[in-house]
Amino acid sequence: EKEAFSYYRAGMSAQSDGKYAEALENYYEALQLEEDPYDRSYTLYNIGLIYGNNGNYSQALEYYHQALELNSNLPQALNNIAVIYHSQGLNALNMQTQDSDLEMQEDEYLELAKEFFDKAAEYWRQAIKLAPDNYPGAQNWLKVTGRLISEDSF
């Protein structure tokens, strides 16, 4: 058994127990030892999951993108990127109604939300192309919001 895989397994175990710091230590150790790009992609993906679960979305996005650079067949990473952008779009809409000082104009919040939603749509379309049966909620959102592109056939 490869030593890198031992660290990866230990990281998955710690992650499932909610021991995120320990999981990250093991994943980082696995990355130091692992040379196979495919295996590295799953380690990077799991690191992204931890950062995402802890609300550190910029780092989560960074690790998801690194994973996709090594393995373009990771629909779950594409989905998670889309979820983050969708959430940021919702946050921009909420800020529009909560920003009593109006640091930004209402239309600026709407434009920001639209940009995030368009990014979410882009990544969800890619995820659905790779795994057509896995993301019915995303497919429905794309249809309802008019972000379904005619070449998308799912």
Side-chain angles (χ1 to χ4, degrees):
E1 177 182 27
K2 293 194 306 187
E3 189 178 359
F5 187 66
S6 297
Y7 283 106
Y8 178 78
R9 268 205 346 248
M12 286 189 4
S13 176
Q15 185 175 357
S16 69
D17 291 341
K19 299 175 181 171
Y20 296 128
E22 181 183 330
L24 285 174
E25 285 178 29
N26 281 290
Y27 288 145
Y28 289 135
E29 194 64 41
L31 282 178
Q32 295 297 314
L33 300 167
E34 185 58 68
E35 295 175 10
D36 180 77
Y38 182 82
D39 291 342
R40 286 178 63 82
S41 73
Y42 281 93
T43 303
L44 291 164
Y45 169 77
N46 283 348
I47 292 170
L49 275 179
I50 290 172
Y51 283 119
N53 287 340
N54 289 324
N56 192 334
Y57 300 123
S58 61
Q59 270 195 295
L61 289 170
E62 185 180 316
Y63 280 96
Y64 290 144
H65 284 292
Q66 285 181 42
L68 287 164
E69 285 174 24
L70 297 177
N71 179 1
S72 60
N73 190 25
L74 276 174
Q76 61 273 43
L78 294 164
N79 175 66
N80 291 357
I81 291 169
V83 167
I84 290 171
Y85 284 134
H86 183 263
S87 174
Q88 289 176 323
L90 292 175
N91 287 343
L93 289 180
N94 287 336
M95 288 298 294
Q96 172 197 354
T97 60
Q98 294 175 0
D99 188 354
S100 57
D101 299 334
L102 283 182
E103 291 174 22
M104 290 174 42
Q105 299 298 317
E106 280 189 44
D107 58 341
E108 291 176 305
Y109 283 115
L110 290 174
E111 185 57 34
L112 185 61
K114 181 187 177 306
E115 288 176 27
F116 283 130
F117 290 146
D118 288 346
K119 280 185 171 186
E122 173 190 333
Y123 284 97
W124 266 326
R125 284 194 296 267
Q126 291 177 55
I128 291 165
K129 276 185 184 154
L130 292 175
D133 299 327
N134 287 15
Y135 307 106
Q139 289 182 33
N140 187 52
W141 181 83
L142 289 168
K143 289 175 188 169
V144 168
T145 62
R147 288 180 169 87
L148 196 62
I149 295 178
S150 58
E151 73 224 25
D152 296 335
S153 55
F154 28 81

